[in-house]
Amino acid sequence: MIPENHPRYHSLLSREKIVDAYKSGILADAGMIAHGRGEAFDYLLGEKTTVTARKSIEAAAAALLLAKNPVISVNGNTTALVSGEIVELASVLGAKIEINLFYKTEERVKAILKVLNEAGAEDVLGTESKELKHIDGINHPRGDVSSEGIYKADVILVPLEDGDRTEALVKSGKLVIALDLNPLSRTARTASITIVDNITRSIQCLIENVLELKDRDREELKKIVGNFNNVNNLKDSLKVMLNSINEFEK
Ligand code: PTJ
């Protein structure tokens, strides 16, 4: 039990969720390593949602609202940390949720589906092998995606992703929104919009932005997306991290 007044309460709470998810078969073994890597980058961000991240979140919200067929791709770490928020985001957007795992096993798909169902998700895609189609350019079972979901999506939110699939999805003409604390990762650099922030904070901020922008006209939303530059935004996130190191040296 972590006391709420502990200075690193939120970080420790996330760790506890990750460990519990590992024990209950939701998380891949490598999910622990991925989480630790994320923590290190989050430390450099000051464990805060930066102004730079807020710009990417606004662009992501606008892109998701413009989408004809938005899909949220879900893996083990996402389920462990923010299953309720994923269901809420899908509901405010009218988006589909699809389970797509890097370390795929039938057992993990079932365990993740159970958590999503308990959080209120009804039609979760990616759970039946007969509904799957392969996306060209991904030499991995992760390229097997739902014909009703990622396969025909125009905008996809991919939290904690690997670079290969992001690249293949972008190449196939889809707008990909990545959620990744590492601004140097291949995913971050390949995605159309990358949110460099902890998913435990950014997902709530994304829901708030969607609610705020949902009555704006399409031209205004297109302008928000058009004005966003992913490379510049990644550079700005790196500057925040470098500044936190320089500040320490003073
Ligand atoms: O559940 P599966 O089988 O699909 O596997 C999921 C993992 C995450 C294990 C798999 O996709 C993987 O190995 O990913 P990578 O290549 O380690 O990339 C994960 C990225 O997510 C890294 O760049 C981390 O910095 C970042 N990350 C980790 N925790 C968070 C995060 N980004 C945002 N919020 C976090 N809490």
Side-chain angles (χ1 to χ4, degrees), residues 14 18 26-42 74-79 81 100-105 108 112 140 142 159-163 165 179-188 195-202:
S14 290
I18 288 287
I26 289 160
L27 208 77
D29 299 7
M32 296 247 197
I33 300 167
H35 185 78
R37 181 144 49 119
E39 276 186 343
F41 284 104
D42 204 15
V74 171
N75 64 11
N77 291 59
T78 309
T79 306
L81 294 172
N100 183 278
L101 305 180
F102 190 80
Y103 301 101
K104 188 171 176 179
T105 64
R108 285 189 63 224
I112 289 169
H140 186 275
R142 190 162 211 188
L160 282 73
E161 175 72 6
D162 70 289
R165 190 172 67 135
L179 269 162
D180 193 336
L181 274 160
N182 178 3
L184 296 169
S185 75
R186 206 150 53 88
T187 301
I195 300 169
V196 180
D197 193 23
N198 199 319
I199 193 171
T200 56
R201 296 186 299 269
S202 58

Side-chain angles (χ1 to χ4, degrees), residues 31 45 56 91 209 226 241:
L45 279 181
S56 60
S91 153
N209 271 253
M241 294 181 183

Side-chain angles (χ1 to χ4, degrees), residues 4-234:
E4 274 187 46
N5 60 357
H6 191 289
R8 309 216 50 261
Y9 174 74
H10 292 290
S11 175
L12 294 177
L13 193 69
S14 290
R15 274 195 182 185
E16 203 169 74
K17 286 183 183 172
I18 288 287
V19 172
D20 288 348
Y22 177 71
K23 287 181 184 160
S24 59
I26 289 160
L27 208 77
D29 299 7
M32 296 247 197
I33 300 167
H35 185 78
R37 181 144 49 119
E39 276 186 343
F41 284 104
D42 204 15
Y43 218 90
L44 292 174
L45 279 181
E47 295 176 322
K48 281 191 211 95
T49 303
T50 62
V51 173
T52 305
R54 284 184 197 280
K55 285 186 195 156
S56 60
I57 292 170
E58 187 189 40
L64 284 162
L65 285 165
L66 284 167
K68 284 198 188 81
N69 200 355
V71 172
I72 305 173
S73 181
V74 171
N75 64 11
N77 291 59
T78 309
T79 306
L81 294 172
V82 291
S83 53
E85 290 89 339
I86 290 290
V87 176
E88 189 182 345
L89 179 63
S91 153
V92 295
L93 283 168
K96 292 169 184 155
I97 297 176
E98 176 165 344
I99 299 174
N100 183 278
L101 305 180
F102 190 80
Y103 301 101
K104 188 171 176 179
T105 64
E106 284 307 311
E107 292 71 28
R108 285 189 63 224
V109 172
K110 272 191 200 141
I112 289 169
L113 177 63
K114 187 166 176 276
V115 175
L116 292 172
N117 287 153
E118 281 166 5
E122 279 165 13
D123 300 312
V124 178
L125 301 170
T127 61
E128 302 286 335
S129 41
K130 62 178 184 303
E131 56 161 324
L132 302 179
K133 273 191 168 181
H134 195 77
I135 289 194
D136 288 344
I138 312 178
N139 190 16
H140 186 275
R142 190 162 211 188
D144 296 330
V145 298
S146 167
S147 52
E148 287 306 304
I150 291 172
Y151 194 81
K152 68 174 192 190
D154 52 348
V155 179
I156 310 166
L157 178 67
V158 292
L160 282 73
E161 175 72 6
D162 70 289
D164 276 3
R165 190 172 67 135
T166 305
E167 200 171 345
L169 292 174
V170 170
K171 264 195 190 147
S172 67
K174 299 175 192 292
L175 189 147
V176 177
I177 302 165
L179 269 162
D180 193 336
L181 274 160
N182 178 3
L184 296 169
S185 75
R186 206 150 53 88
T187 301
R189 288 183 287 139
T190 313
S192 326
I193 299 171
T194 302
I195 300 169
V196 180
D197 193 23
N198 199 319
I199 193 171
T200 56
R201 296 186 299 269
S202 58
I203 196 84
Q204 196 54 48
C205 194
L206 185 54
I207 294 169
E208 283 160 21
N209 271 253
V210 167
L211 292 173
E212 208 176 296
L213 295 179
K214 82 177 176 19
D215 298 322
R216 304 276 178 94
D217 65 58
R218 290 182 68 81
E219 288 315 307
E220 204 179 329
L221 295 177
K222 279 182 196 166
K223 219 184 251 174
I224 294 174
V225 178
N227 286 339
F228 182 79
N229 181 308
N230 202 44
V231 174
N232 289 345
N233 195 267
L234 290 174

